[in-house]
Every structure is written in C-alpha cells, then in structure tokens.
Amino acid sequence: MGTTSGPDSPRIDQLSSIHADGSRRAIHPADVHGRFITRRRVVFAVLMAIYVALPLVQVGGHPSVHLDVAARRFYLFGGTYNAQDFWRVLFLLTSVGFGLLFFTAWLGRVWCGWACPQTVFLEGVYRPIERLFDGPRERRLKLAGAPWTPARVGRAVLKHGAYVGVSMLISHAALSLFVSAGGLVSMVSAGPAASPVAFGWAMAVTGALYFNFAWFREQLCVVVCPYGRLQSAMQDRDSVIVGYDTKRGEPRGRMLKVKPGEVAPPRGDCVDCRRCVAVCPTGIDIRNGLQMECLACAQCVDACDEVMDKVGRPRGLIRYDSLNGLAGQKHRVVRPRLVLYGALMVAAITGLVLSLVGRVPFEANLLRFQGTPYLLEEGTVRNQFELHLVNKNPGEATFTIRVDSPVPAHVVVPQSELKLASLESFRVPLFITVQQGRVAVPFTFYVEVKDSASGEVKRMEARFLGPAQPGG
C-alpha cells in the first residue's frame, strides 16, 4: 500500500488531532458536496426537529416526553408511568444495547456518522456557524496562524457568542424534557432566583456543550467515547464500513502527461489529491485502512467521487463496503454473529412491547392491616384491609370498588367509587365481618376494581382469617 508523504500526513499509529509532542492539532475539515452529505443533512434536520418537538407536542394531554423526576412522574408518548414502572427500563436498555450490537455488526459505525448527537449538532449546527464567520477551510487554516487583528477579534467574539447562544438553546430544550415546555417558560419568566437548581443545571449543561462543540469536538469521539475502541470486537470482515479500494487505487500518484514514445509509469485510480484527508472530521487518511477514528460519515466518499468525476474515472474508489468486499472476496450478509445479535435484539424488543401492551392503566394493591390478622367483637370476626389505588391514565379516571364474598358477610367500603387525577394515589380502607361460628374460616373472597377511563378490571384474591372452628 502506498503512503502519503509529508510531515503532517496522518499516521495510523498516532491520533491525527494530536502532534507528535502531544499538543493539540486543530482539525479543519473542508466543505464537501455529494449524495451522502445531502442525505446526512436531511437526517440531522429530522433528528433535531424531533428533539425540539418532544416537549412541545401534546399526546394525551401531556408533552410527548416529560420526565418529572422530582415528582417521579413520567409521560412518554401518551403513556403515564411512575417509579414502580422503572423495571421496564431494563427491556429498553437491553433493546438499545442489542440493537447497537446488531447494527454495528451489520452497518459498522452508522450510528456515529448519522445519528449520534455529537455528530448531529457538531456537523448540523456548530460547523455551519464556524464556516459563516471564518469561511472555508483554506481561510480557517490561514487565520489559525495569523495575528489577532480587530477584525479577527470581532469575528471570534461573534462566533463564540453564537456558540454560547446555541448551547443555551440546546440546554434549555433538554431542561424542558424534565420541567415541560410550559414550566420552562414560567421559570425563564420568573428569573434564575425563582428556580436556582434548574438555572444552575441549564448553565452547567450550556458550559459543557460550549466546551465540547467549540473546542473539544472530535476528541470526545476518539478519546472519551468507548464505542470506537469496542468496534473491533463488534465487527467482522463482512461488516459494512467506509473503506479504500487498495487494489484499484494503488499505486497512487498524480496524473502525468506522457510524451509520444514514453512509457507511463504504473498508476492506480488514486491521484493522491488528499481530498479525502481534507474533508475528514477526525483528520485521518482512510487509505491507511480501517481506523478507530473513522466515524463512517462518508464525507471522504463524496469527496473522492467528486474527484473521480473530474478525472473521468468510475466512482467507488472509497465507498461503503466490507473488508471482504474491498479485498474482492464474497460479502456475506447473513452470518452467525448477525443472526445472534438480531435474535437478542428481537427478544429484548418483544419483551419491551409485551410489557407495554400488557400494562394496566392503574395500580391496585390489597394489603392487610398491620397488627392482629383478625378482630373478635360480640360474636363476630372482622378482617381489615387497605386498598392502594394509583391512577396511571393520562387524565382523570373514576374507579369502582366491589367485594365478592362466597359466604354471607358484612362489607364496609367507605368509598366504593372515587375519582383520581393522573398519577394520583389513594388508600381506601376495607372491612369485612362474618358471624363467628356460622361461617367456616378461613375462606377466599375477591376485591374487584374497575377503571371507567379504560374499562380495565382488576380482580384480586384475599384470605379471610379467623379463629379455628371447634373440633377443627
């Protein structure tokens, strides 16, 4: 394989964003045009629109996503949940985890290049701001070593002011997921003193976002995030990656004009223009092979295709393909690793769906009063219970309580019908009394709770206890 010459050429054994002495090397990717960057921008716009819309769009009378951690109330796409539903998060996390394994084994780092919030906001918001104030890559490189003139200072102040403003908007959008959009507007109107915790949280997130997107940038992907380091364990030679066709491209070299009678030196399709390096957001040379820093963003694909069009050679010198495909070998889609990951993902998603579909929109728990299991009073035996109700409908609901006893019994329910607001709970005492000696104890009776909002009915079994019968 050929190598790119020059002291600043990316090396496979060293991070492109760090100089040999350990100092930071700023990455200034060039602008690129093509099919993949166009598609990515559409994906970025859709994802950012969804992010902004989540606390704004109402579903069932509540924001589509409202995570009221302080009150332990959670509204998700019309569903109402409380802390007792937290066990469902297990299915959600396993679904995400196995899904990540499946799609990484199949499509490589498609998450990093197309849907990761780091990529979405950096490439969709912050880099366009940088280009607006500092211009294209060549101008930014020139400015990096230029003296600080008043004009440059002014542009820097405006650019970083825009960074701070965007970071503040993103942090407040995140805060609205926890306090709702209406609550956020009220907090902002009342001022920081009225909500010091929320204000401090928003400012901390704003600072973290500004630090990350204004300076740290690709270092989060290649230094902090463990996903890139784990990809070698999740991928195989049939995983789809962004790769360079060495057989077709080498030996690389610039196009030469050959005089009549001269023999042209052997050349591959790669003209060694370094355009793929210039557009890479992590500064690597994809021609050095698959690397941890590659985000599979396909900017090098668009750049190379553009060059191939200009020199009259077919596209695809750099392309989405597997290592086997790039080597000219057969590419397998269905393989044991992918089948295993897919089966685990489907199992986790099935568990999540079943847990949500089988969810009853209210909780009803029947508990025996603490203390003695029964009371004897003037020839009667009394058992005392407490019914704990929680309305998990998105709106108000009416609950009807009915006791079904197989033997004659006197049942007292102080409130056999009650209205509860969404996620409101209430404890209803329940007393059941029988004549001592006339009814065989223990026996089983049932408490039925009906939810008028959903029509759901929950039937609970309980044991009536009493003294042993004579001769028993």
Side-chain angles (χ1 to χ4, degrees), residues 370-383:
Q370 294 183 355
T372 57
Y374 57 87
L375 296 174
L376 299 176
E377 292 182 347
E378 299 179 354
T380 63
V381 183
R382 185 173 78 237
N383 281 201

Side-chain angles (χ1 to χ4, degrees), residues 81-103:
Y81 305 89
N82 59 10
Q84 293 175 328
D85 292 306
F86 190 78
W87 61 272
R88 291 181 172 86
V89 175
L90 172 65
F91 290 106
L92 176 62
L93 293 179
T94 52
S95 299
V96 172
F98 290 134
L100 188 64
L101 288 174
F102 174 77
F103 284 104

